[in-house]
Amino acid sequence: SSLRFILLALFLFNICAFGLEVSHDGRAITINGERKVLISGSIHYPRSTAEMWPDLIKKAKEGGVDAIETYVFWNAHEPLRRQYDFEGNHDLIRFLKTIQDEGLYAVLRIGPYVCAEWNYGGFPVWLHNMPGIKLRTANDVFMNEMQNFTSLIVNMVKQEQLFASQGGPIILAQIENEYGNVITSYGDAGKAYIDWCANMAESLNIGVPWIMCQESDAPEPMINTCNGWYCDSFTPNNPNSPKMWTENWTGWFKSWGGLDPHRTAEDVAFAVARFFQYGGTFQNYYMYHGGTNFGRTAGGPYITTSYDYDAPLDEYGNLNQPKWGHLKQLHNVLKSMEKTLTHGNITSTDLDNLVTATIYGTEEGSSCFLGNANTTADATITFQGSEYTVPAWSVSILPDCKTEVYNTARVVFIISHTENEPLSLTWSWRPETIDDTLVQGKGYVNANQLIDQKAATNDVSDYLWYMTSVNLNEDDPIWSDDMTIRINGSGHILHAYVNGQYIGKVFYITQLVSLINFLDFYEFNFVHLCLLNLGSQWAKYGVFNYVFEQKVNLNPGKNLITLLSATVGLQNYGPHFDLIQSGIPGPVEIIGTKGDEKVIKDLSSHKWSYKVGLHGFDNQLFSKDSRFLSKWQTDEIPSNRMMTWYKTTFKAPLGEDPVVVDLQGMGKGIAWVNGHSIGRYWPSFIAQEDGCSADLCDYRGSYDNNKCVTNCGQPTQRWYHVPRSFMEEDTNTLVLFEELGGNPSQVNFQTVTVGTACGNAYEANTLELSCQGRPISSIKFASFGNPQGVCGSFEKGSCEGANDAISIVQNECVGKETCSIDISEAKFGSTSCGNIVKRLAVEAVC
């Protein structure tokens, strides 16, 4: 019986360990002998909480996604050298198994450089501080560390049998990331490094193909892939490699001071359809869910806490309509043509004026694409004996080369609006203790030079004190009645003190603000606007050097100069990005002006003392377990006070809708809920005033991140995501560290709920309405014919179906969370619209 048990166990082990065979050629990826057209979506596990993963992955699958693509974040998993973290939201294995549980594939982008607008590009800062290291080049110190981490990840995944070759979900893995964009800056050592990466990856024997995105000279057998807005014209460097698109940018990231970028559903669909029209086999959305930069993970510098990315699943995990639904329909159509796309002979015909027809033909049948890349003119063409109208900047898909079932410009799915309910709060406060630092000017480390903040802090804090003293007397050549201090900074935040006094003042004006223009923005129409803070200055995204200069009053004798540098995420992209300095690179100078003469004293080589962080962080005032809970004050809550801690308690909003905290009125700082950091906040940083348009975004023509922007003159980010997994059923604690000065009385919690659901679908399609978990309570508008306007302002057009559209939709939808309506004259009645393609427009109340 023991022998029978052993044989049975071996038999079961062999079944469980049996893997998927993954291969590729110039036309397709083949999995277990079946050629695939693969749609993938990026979801990065640290940007959402572990409790969100199953719902996000399920919604991705419902949207027609076959695979989930994710980076692996080195600095998250090895924050200190040889000290690893794979717990909680960093549990990579759990994330991969969640993907597997949903029956999806996975693409593991180990990198381990990731970019991703992530702090320091995903590299741990301790790398920067290793003697003799040079990052992302043929350097033994770096390559040893990179190989150690890459091997660690591969071995963990192998141990759990998660590669497809072992029966797991991972069908592709990536080494390095977009190195081709910067390789020329590294010369011959860069080419040697990329060859080493390929050899090192191959030596790990994972049993699935390796990819290198944006690497035009990727060594075999690496597959080079494309990243960008459009990749239809991309050709792999190896004719035996499939045409793969690892990053189709569904939107763009947001930076402090920048506008909200949006990419239309029509343009994303157009890019995808053209990619598959011209031989694509694998396409991944970056991002499919962008999520939130919790803690200090945002890079840049100056990347916001929100990483919504205008993705098909928004920052909170809701369906971003119409993008999610429009792409879902596209995926279904492409999947229906999988056999012809991966086996068919391709014939393309140029029909002039940027119109093309592409036929994928097999013995069993054919599938066709009709593409119109003209940015203004619709095209009416005759194709295989039938007439088709293809709108400008769109692709029509005919799975049987006869009937058009999808056009990228004809959006047929819902648009959702949100509404919020505020929750008022009661506050306590305490000051951040900085007086001892300002008076004593003593730190823990001394050096006769200015030090890069990365080297001094090892990235354990945003804050670093730079302290020195200068002795002057009235006979000094620099002494005058007109002296200034000039500091060459790195473009992050700088606070300057001289002899314990903060330099400069905060100026305010009282301005009459139009209640009409700012109805959703201000509670009152008289507001105080902070125009300029002379003592604390900052730059914007993309600025690496910034000069601070301010008049100072110095005393005869010893003068203490205390500078507080605050980083806002470390540089994450570009050639030698790791060497871009943070903190105060210098010089730091005292300038005396006497008439036309200027005398400069350079303090850069003085003895500088350094101190990392602030007392409140050291004492963990954000934690419910802090030893310093008794010193919070409840009387006379100050506002517009720098370096101040605020605390309040709140009840979690009822229900399951996503929760946000509105930090309008605050300046800049960091927020925690029950000790969990929800990221940096900076609602006082107002987005630029120009670049927005009141007109609807025209999807026609090439997109970039400056084309369709909103939020001019508003706070760059006002609402901050509070995952429900961070909250408890009874009392919860919100703690704010306010750096610049703000008013917490305006802060409140709100829920993000679907208020209305709108659809605008063409005849011969099915309109899906969904309130995303809430019932449809009523139908506010419905019209079949040629309705005008957009969601919230629909109007009936010049022709209308004979049957009552509102009654029909009410009968099919009211009381349901989701309903589907077939659109035809048979249902809605005949019209006098002539030969135009008729539409059904609906606005439902959730």
Side-chain angles (χ1 to χ4, degrees), residues 166-189:
Q166 302 172 292
I170 302 171
I171 57 172
L172 297 166
Q174 179 178 312
I175 195 70
E176 249 298 341
N177 185 45
E178 296 186 330
Y179 194 70
N181 294 348
V182 299
I183 190 171
T184 56
S185 300
Y186 296 88
D188 292 340

Side-chain angles (χ1 to χ4, degrees), residues 424-428 646-650 732-735 747 749:
S424 60
L425 303 167
T426 302
W427 293 91
S428 59
Y646 296 100
K647 183 171 69 170
T648 188
T649 57
F650 67 97
N732 297 276
T733 302
L734 169 68
V735 175
V747 173
F749 285 85

Side-chain angles (χ1 to χ4, degrees), residues 158-169:
K158 278 186 176 180
Q159 184 175 350
E160 299 294 331
Q161 299 190 30
L162 292 174
F163 285 110
S165 55
Q166 302 172 292

Side-chain angles (χ1 to χ4, degrees), residues 643-675:
M643 305 295 172
T644 304
W645 292 81
Y646 296 100
K647 183 171 69 170
T648 188
T649 57
F650 67 97
K651 296 283 187 180
L654 297 176
E656 298 181 355
D657 292 323
V659 178
V660 295
V661 58
D662 180 0
L663 294 180
Q664 174 64 30
M666 300 306 295
K668 173 189 177 291
I670 302 176
W672 295 263
V673 170
N674 294 332

Side-chain angles (χ1 to χ4, degrees), residues 27-31 34-38 105 281-282 338 342:
R27 285 293 304 278
I29 296 174
T30 301
I31 301 176
E34 185 177 355
R35 298 179 118 195
K36 294 284 188 180
V37 170
L38 289 168
Y105 300 120
T281 188
F282 170 94
E338 187 171 58
T342 57

Side-chain angles (χ1 to χ4, degrees), residues 496-519:
Y497 302 80
V498 174
N499 295 326
Q501 298 298 311
Y502 193 64
I503 300 176
K505 298 179 180 178
V506 181
F507 293 93
Y508 294 87
I509 65 168
T510 301
Q511 177 176 320
L512 179 63
V513 179
S514 166
L515 186 62
I516 296 175
N517 292 337
F518 290 88
L519 189 60

Side-chain angles (χ1 to χ4, degrees), residues 98-325:
T98 306
I99 295 171
Q100 185 178 33
D101 290 344
E102 198 57 53
L104 297 179
Y105 300 120
V107 178
L108 192 64
R109 303 179 72 180
I110 300 174
Y113 165 72
V114 299
C115 183
E117 290 70 60
W118 192 264
N119 193 51
Y120 210 45
F123 283 156
V125 171
W126 55 258
L127 282 174
H128 173 80
N129 297 327
M130 292 186 71
I133 198 167
K134 293 182 180 180
L135 274 58
R136 300 186 82 192
T137 190
N139 171 271
D140 287 341
V141 180
F142 172 68
M143 292 190 298
N144 287 339
E145 295 300 323
M146 177 176 167
Q147 183 167 7
N148 180 79
F149 180 75
T150 304
S151 300
L152 171 77
I153 297 300
V154 167
N155 289 335
M156 286 179 59
V157 172
K158 278 186 176 180
Q159 184 175 350
E160 299 294 331
Q161 299 190 30
L162 292 174
F163 285 110
S165 55
Q166 302 172 292
I170 302 171
I171 57 172
L172 297 166
Q174 179 178 312
I175 195 70
E176 249 298 341
N177 185 45
E178 296 186 330
Y179 194 70
N181 294 348
V182 299
I183 190 171
T184 56
S185 300
Y186 296 88
D188 292 340
K191 176 59 178 170
Y193 166 66
I194 210 68
D195 289 340
W196 171 84
C197 287
N199 291 329
M200 185 268 287
E202 275 297 294
S203 72
L204 297 175
N205 297 315
I206 62 175
V208 301
W210 285 94
I211 60 176
M212 281 184 171
C213 70
Q214 294 293 89
E215 189 59 54
S216 60
D217 61 347
E220 293 187 34
M222 303 291 108
I223 305 171
N224 75 309
T225 68
C226 181
N227 291 355
W229 307 113
Y230 309 95
C231 284
D232 49 278
S233 62
F234 166 74
T235 302
N237 65 325
N238 184 339
N240 294 320
S241 294
K243 181 172 178 173
M244 299 174 64
W245 190 358
T246 27
E247 292 186 15
N248 176 1
W249 302 330
T250 57
W252 200 241
F253 59 85
K254 188 164 64 169
S255 61
W256 299 113
L259 300 174
D260 288 357
H262 303 280
R263 190 181 183 194
T264 65
E266 295 96 326
D267 186 61
V268 179
F270 172 73
V272 175
R274 276 182 70 85
F275 178 71
F276 285 102
Q277 178 180 358
Y278 293 112
T281 188
F282 170 94
Q283 187 269 163
N284 174 74
Y285 296 105
Y286 187 99
M287 300 288 297
Y288 200 80
H289 166 72
T292 306
N293 289 314
F294 297 114
R296 299 172 52 252
T297 57
Y302 281 78
I303 302 298
T304 59
T305 299
S306 172
Y307 200 70
D308 180 83
Y309 223 90
D310 202 23
L313 297 177
D314 71 14
E315 180 177 358
Y316 318 114
N318 290 327
L319 307 185
N320 177 17
Q321 298 286 20
K323 191 170 287 182
W324 184 89

